Amino acid sequence: MTSRPYHHGDLRATMLTLAERTLRTEGPAGLSLRELAREAGVSSAAPLRHFKGKQALLDALALDGFDRLAATLTSAIDEAGDVFADRLDALARAYLDFAVANGALLDLMYGRKHETTAPDELRDAKYRLGSLAADLIAEGQQRGEVRAGSLESLTGPLTATLQGMTAIAISGGFTAEQIEISRTDTIAFTLRGLAP
């Protein structure tokens, strides 16, 4: 029997990549640290240096998802220019694109945060992600492109609408064309509601 090496170049990143691939095809129940270690070509004990167990791996995967989504949204907003309508459209497009491409990961990200045992890092990551939309609306208010009002009352409907569209898109309830039409109509409707 050939023994597997303990060391690996970047085992943590490799494990997250393999775990996300498995998550897409088999869901969280299909994840096994032992199986992922085998796929990575390391001993079954090696992943324990990075993840105390399966839940720690799932938490790290969810946190990585929040970080990637936040980076994607920030980049899209920054590239959209200074006009609020363009920035909001870029945010919605980037969010839906990420969600459709990473449905299983998004389910993990938002499912785990509700659990009372979720680490503080996950709750903080969700908060930071949510603050992107609030910051965008606040900037629009400062430039006179968005009506006065509390950020909570103005951000809530946008967040709920995007989450609803995302859930339908991930479940296969929308075609790609319907997603695009719905996104365009939703942003137009949202802009009318936010107008000064």
Side-chain angles (χ1 to χ4, degrees), residues 84-101:
F84 174 74
D86 295 340
R87 291 167 69 82
L88 183 63
D89 183 68
L91 171 80
R93 181 183 302 276
Y95 186 84
L96 285 168
D97 287 350
F98 183 94
V100 169

Side-chain angles (χ1 to χ4, degrees), residues 9-196:
D10 188 352
L11 182 57
R12 186 178 193 284
T14 298
M15 291 291 288
L16 289 174
T17 299
L18 293 171
E20 186 171 353
R21 188 185 72 206
T22 301
L23 182 71
R24 288 175 193 265
T25 59
E26 300 177 35
L31 285 171
S32 158
L33 283 175
R34 182 177 299 278
E35 181 59 26
L36 293 174
R38 187 192 63 72
E39 288 182 53
V42 297
S43 72
S44 59
L48 297 175
R49 293 181 58 96
H50 302 281
F51 311 104
K52 291 180 182 177
K54 179 179 174 177
Q55 190 58 60
L57 174 65
L58 290 170
D59 289 344
L61 190 57
L63 185 58
D64 183 63
F66 276 118
D67 290 344
R68 285 172 28 211
L69 178 54
T72 297
L73 297 181
T74 299
S75 177
I77 292 168
D78 290 346
E79 292 173 11
D82 295 329
V83 176
F84 174 74
D86 295 340
R87 291 167 69 82
L88 183 63
D89 183 68
L91 171 80
R93 181 183 302 276
Y95 186 84
L96 285 168
D97 287 350
F98 183 94
V100 169
N102 300 282
L105 179 61
L106 206 71
D107 284 346
L108 176 68
M109 290 160 55
Y110 284 102
R112 179 67 172 126
K113 65 154 179 76
H114 294 296
E115 294 180 25
T116 57
T117 59
D120 290 341
E121 295 89 355
L122 275 182
R123 287 190 289 275
D124 292 345
K126 181 202 170 272
Y127 175 79
R128 283 192 309 274
L129 186 64
S131 70
L132 286 174
D135 291 347
L136 182 61
I137 288 175
E139 291 168 9
Q141 285 178 319
Q142 291 171 354
R143 289 196 300 265
E145 296 176 279
V146 174
R147 68 180 171 86
S150 74
L151 290 179
E152 186 176 279
S153 67
L154 297 177
T155 306
L158 171 63
T159 303
T161 301
L162 280 177
Q163 291 288 49
M165 287 178 55
T166 298
I168 294 170
I170 290 174
S171 71
F174 280 162
T175 64
E177 182 181 355
Q178 288 171 319
I179 291 170
E180 179 61 23
I181 291 168
S182 295
R183 183 197 56 77
T184 300
D185 290 346
T186 298
I187 294 304
F189 181 78
T190 303
L191 287 170
R192 286 194 297 274
L194 294 173

